[in-house]
Amino acid sequence: MIPSAAPPSGDGKPSRRDQILAAAAELFAQHGFRGVGIDDIGAAVGITGPALYRHFRSKDAMLGEMLTGISEYLLAGGTERIRRVGDADDILTGLVRFHVDFALQQPALITVHERSLASLGDEDRRRVRRLQRQYVEVWVTALRATVPRLDEPHARSAAHAVFGLINSTPHNRHLPGDDLAELLTRLALGALYAAK
Amino acid sequence: MIPSAAPPSGDGKPSRRDQILAAAAELFAQHGFRGVGIDDIGAAVGITGPALYRHFRSKDAMLGEMLTGISEYLLAGGTERIRRVGDADDILTGLVRFHVDFALQQPALITVHERSLASLGDEDRRRVRRLQRQYVEVWVTALRATVPRLDEPHARSAAHAVFGLINSTPHNRHLPGDDLAELLTRLALGALYAAK
DNA sequence: GGACGAAGTTAGTGAACGCTAACCTCGCTC
DNA sequence: GAGCGAGGTTAGCGTTCACTAACTTCGTCC
């Protein structure tokens, strides 16, 4: 369900790597990548800072794994949805629901994904950028199938705008989860169909 | 037009303070507050790092001034717009246009405003938070005037969501400015009227 | 029960960085 | 033209922080 490079290794509980990534995501979301020390991340999982280097090559590598994980998860889920046969409107709705669900379940990852691209090394940044571009293209495809009069640049801009709308979940703590999911879905679709 | 604590002092050209703030905003938007050194900011305006302390008490103070400036500008502009007499729909449209214009003219400030709250000192953070809350209330007021069936929590969430939509300008480089302004306005209003 | 590897510890190193101190150089004012 | 304040400079201090080295602990396998 949640993106993870190494799945929970057979038994139930998450691997140490995943524990660390989850804790780090929460901290990065709160204080920013550069605002979190290696000791803070360690403390959050009950070990000292340097022990993290048994699991990750560097602090940058943690961020890299986090961001590529998210990007791959979104692209995979999005691609799967536009491959389904059926009504174009249903597919677009499915895409919105998929992204809304992710944003609701992982607000911390959303925040990190939006803010900390700049802190990534060159290699990882290129990779994440490419995945993001491909995800946008998934949306552009779905959008133009339902609103054929929309040209590509407008569709791309509309996609970015709707990401912004849905990704507002970290600032949106006022409503119970289900209500917020429904509201965001309706707002997103309302925006997209208004794109003309 | 652009928020500035000390206006351009009579003659045309911006004060040194404002030059520095503008350069710093650009850098903070690109690399994050913690990712920018005092020497980088200085270099961007052609002086050395320590010279900045002739104009600002600290690096934190620069960020503080930047963020309170933006927040005050938005609140003032928003408040002015909902005070106007006239059709509720027109007022909401005016509010959307106002925010869209700001986001288009100052994408760097938008980015900093969203990302760097955590780096602010306690005092400034409280102040900015209060201004932001008040600005949200302006939107809630306007929204509930046009969509009376919307309760307050839903209106607040819708406002946050639409901020996310409009504040996507930093990721939105594909369209000429005028087209983007029109698109974002239409998307935002489409979303808001879909809130039911 | 000895060997070994995985996962932890503490101590320490080197670089980056915010900020201060001390000094310089103008342009104004009287 | 002496005095002075505004706005620069360079050198350096102290802290923070990512990362490494050296050592410990412990479960597993033969």
Side-chain angles (χ1 to χ4, degrees), chain A residues 24-145:
Chain A
E26 214 63 52
L27 289 170
F28 291 166
Q30 278 175 51
H31 306 109
F33 178 70
R34 291 217 164 75
V36 176
I38 225 69
D39 289 343
D40 300 324
I41 303 172
V45 294
I47 60 179
T48 61
L52 296 171
Y53 291 86
R54 300 290 166 192
H55 304 279
F56 294 93
R57 231 182 49 258
S58 66
K59 191 188 166 198
D60 286 13
M62 290 183 213
L63 183 63
E65 201 157 310
M66 208 176 287
L67 294 190
T68 52
I70 301 164
S71 304
E72 280 166 358
Y73 174 80
L74 286 176
L75 178 58
T79 304
E80 193 228 307
R81 253 145 202 103
I82 61 163
R83 280 204 185 128
R84 292 183 183 169
V85 290
D87 187 50
D89 291 298
D90 290 346
I91 287 177
L92 187 63
T93 302
L95 209 47
V96 169
R97 286 237 157 82
F98 166 69
H99 197 118
V100 167
D101 284 345
F102 179 70
L104 273 167
Q105 279 162 36
Q106 306 289 337
L109 289 185
I110 285 287
T111 302
V112 177
H113 192 232
E114 273 197 325
R115 291 185 190 175
S116 297
L117 240 186
S119 304
L120 227 47
D122 286 356
E123 175 108 4
D124 279 333
R125 191 171 54 249
R126 267 193 296 274
R127 202 170 148 200
V128 170
R129 281 253 163 82
R130 206 184 57 240
L131 291 165
Q132 288 179 338
R133 263 199 309 276
Q134 292 176 285
Y135 184 57
V136 173
E137 291 316 305
V138 166
W139 276 72
V140 168
T141 303
L143 245 179
R144 298 195 67 203

Side-chain angles (χ1 to χ4, degrees), chain B residues 167-189:
Chain B
N167 292 349
S168 66
T169 49
H171 313 295
N172 238 331
R173 294 266 138 87
H174 321 293
L175 285 178
D178 287 350
D179 286 11
L180 185 55
E182 200 203 325
L183 178 64
L184 288 177
T185 303
R186 195 159 50 218
L187 293 179
L189 288 171

